[in-house]
Amino acid sequence: MKKLKQYWTAEALEKDLGDPLNPDNPLSYKRVIEIDESEEFPHEEIRWLYDWKLPHYYIPTDCGGEFTSFEEFVAFVRVLSRRDQTIGIAFTTLFWSFLNWMAGTPEQKQKLARFIMDDYGAMCLGYSEKEHGSDLINGDLTATKVEGGYILNGEKWPINRATISGVSFILAKTDANGGPKCLTLFMVDKRQLDPEKYYNLPKIYTHGVRASDMSGIGFKDCFVPDSMRLREEGDGLELALKGFQITRMLCAAFSHGAADTALRTTLGFAVNRVIYNKTVMDLPQPRRTLVDAFLDILICDCETIPAARGFHIIPEQFSVWASVVKYFVTVRLEEMVNSVYVVLGSRFYMREEHEFGIFQKLLRDNSIISMFDGSSIVNLHALILQLRPLTKYRAKRNSRTMSALKSRLEAIFSLEKSVPPFEPNNLELFGRGMDDSLQGLEIALDMLEGLKNSDEVDPEVLENLLMLGNLVLEELNAHDEQISQSKFEYGHDQSPELFEIAKKYCTLHAASACLHTWLYNRSILGEFFAQGEWLVLSLHRLLRTLRPLPYTLSEVYVENVAQELLKLYRENQHFSIVPFQLAHSQTTEEKTHELQLQS
């Protein structure tokens, strides 16, 4: 398998964090459980990450940082989140800095970069309000223009890391008449405020991520200078929605981290627990449950990783792709975590038993991810508003547009291709009907047909892939027909039927992404990936939610995927299409062998 440069940072961080089962290591399971029980913010662990210089990877290179790609970013956030989502989420409030990298002046960018790197500063996001939730336009926090700046009045709640953060991105109403241009975004630096004019709201006690600084912030006749305003008055809603395109997609990394730990800790139990004279893993039902969980991780990999790359290549399409990822990946992996605990048995509910009780913690923590940065309903609604343009664009494609599309697909999905710098100014509020992943489905099917003349793929596997790929195309055509016949209303009065249609679009999107990812990476991601049996099972698993299909296509494929899962577990590698090495504590035998090699 080819070593990919964009995963070096994640591997280095993983190595330095060490085995999470070793209680003495930073972010060990034992330590994060202690933090959770105390409900105290993990200052020491966050400081360790700052000292490691991880914040530099949140800052673009043109601002003095090390950020190069969202693919690299997703990989190291997964490393954090597989140990502890509380710390992963608390630390990664730093990604709200992208609002500044996207909209700030050169002076604002340099100020924030210095604040992060030199002052170990953090930031938070104040959009929602207690009485209005995600209804941003009807918020009550106001910014009244005065000479040299604005006067803020009102509260934002709930906010992760509100009290501890030094910088708050605050969305305020600057036009009392309302409408889409009534909001303005401010990068509020608490160090420059009159401490008598702002206040922190009490800590919110939550079901999961209990050690988070979950609270809020309020302002009472608080002056902020013009230099804290991002862009112009009235640009706030547009910036907020474009910022969500970035952060919604990146939330998938939190879910991936939890999914890896949920599967790993359950599999560790299953291979060692003996019942009915067999290990749990040797029993057919638990074995299949864990195989299906592994397939879900691979499916979501194929959706998340190319999306991270797509930011650099087709940012104008991310009003669609970000909503798909935020809904499909976070919900799918949440369901996956909820499915494997039956294998772990009663231990999933215990706060101390089996790997320090990490499973019960991640089960609680992970349930919030699908709510972050817009709930599942919010993201499906955002997608509904674009389904008609997507359908119309598909119907109008021609040979010229398909040729350009094929070139973009390779750049997006081929992991060995470098990506250009991210251009946030190319983000758009609406994708104008474009969605390369699904609209390139016929290209993928043509590429599958072309493999018939080679001996690169087992004929039976290829036959299954063609059959399933064509079923995906049939469902996509049926989806387009549903859209053309459905009743559509602008605003929030969408029918439940349209939400189901949007869910179907997400499933088809994932199936198409799986095909593209396999086609463009067969030669670089190892033998298991190249054989394609996992892909047959994954497409079949997705399609079974849309139409009646047999329970399985091949028990041989299932067993081969089970063997790969066990191999990755025994070799302590990441459960992923890119299975890099994880840190682990050496046994006495391994240490002796290493010393022998060195001598």
Side-chain angles (χ1 to χ4, degrees), residues 67-83:
F67 173 84
T68 55
S69 79
F70 285 107
E71 185 181 0
E72 177 184 63
F73 187 99
V74 165
F76 68 69
V77 173
R78 286 172 74 160
V79 166
L80 284 181
S81 298
R82 90 172 188 93
R83 296 158 185 280

Side-chain angles (χ1 to χ4, degrees), residues 160-262:
N160 185 24
R161 210 165 174 176
T163 300
I164 294 173
S165 292
V167 168
S168 302
F169 289 95
I170 300 295
L171 199 60
K173 185 172 288 185
T174 46
D175 184 350
N177 294 320
K181 298 293 286 185
C182 74
L183 298 174
T184 301
L185 188 60
F186 295 87
M187 186 174 73
V188 176
D189 188 338
K190 289 181 183 178
R191 298 171 300 178
Q192 295 180 244
L193 302 183
D194 181 345
E196 300 296 320
K197 299 296 186 180
Y198 79 92
Y199 53 94
N200 298 310
L201 299 177
K203 176 182 171 69
I204 301 167
Y205 292 92
T206 52
H207 175 65
V209 292
R210 298 194 304 189
S212 293
D213 168 29
M214 195 71 70
S215 53
I217 189 169
F219 303 93
K220 181 65 175 175
D221 296 329
C222 183
F223 176 78
V224 297
D226 287 327
S227 60
M228 291 186 184
R229 188 189 68 220
L230 288 176
R231 289 229 180 123
E232 303 300 325
E233 268 194 30
D235 288 344
L237 183 60
E238 178 182 349
L239 292 175
L241 295 177
K242 288 182 178 180
F244 275 147
Q245 291 178 23
I246 300 173
T247 58
R248 284 173 177 171
M249 209 271 348
L250 297 180
C251 282
F254 301 138
S255 298
H256 278 285
D260 186 277
T261 295

Side-chain angles (χ1 to χ4, degrees), residues 344-361:
L344 194 57
S346 61
R347 285 165 177 77
F348 92 92
Y349 206 62
M350 298 179 183
R351 289 162 64 180
E352 294 179 342
E353 189 73 22
H354 189 67
E355 297 192 353
F356 306 98
I358 191 64
F359 196 101
Q360 58 81 26
K361 181 184 185 309

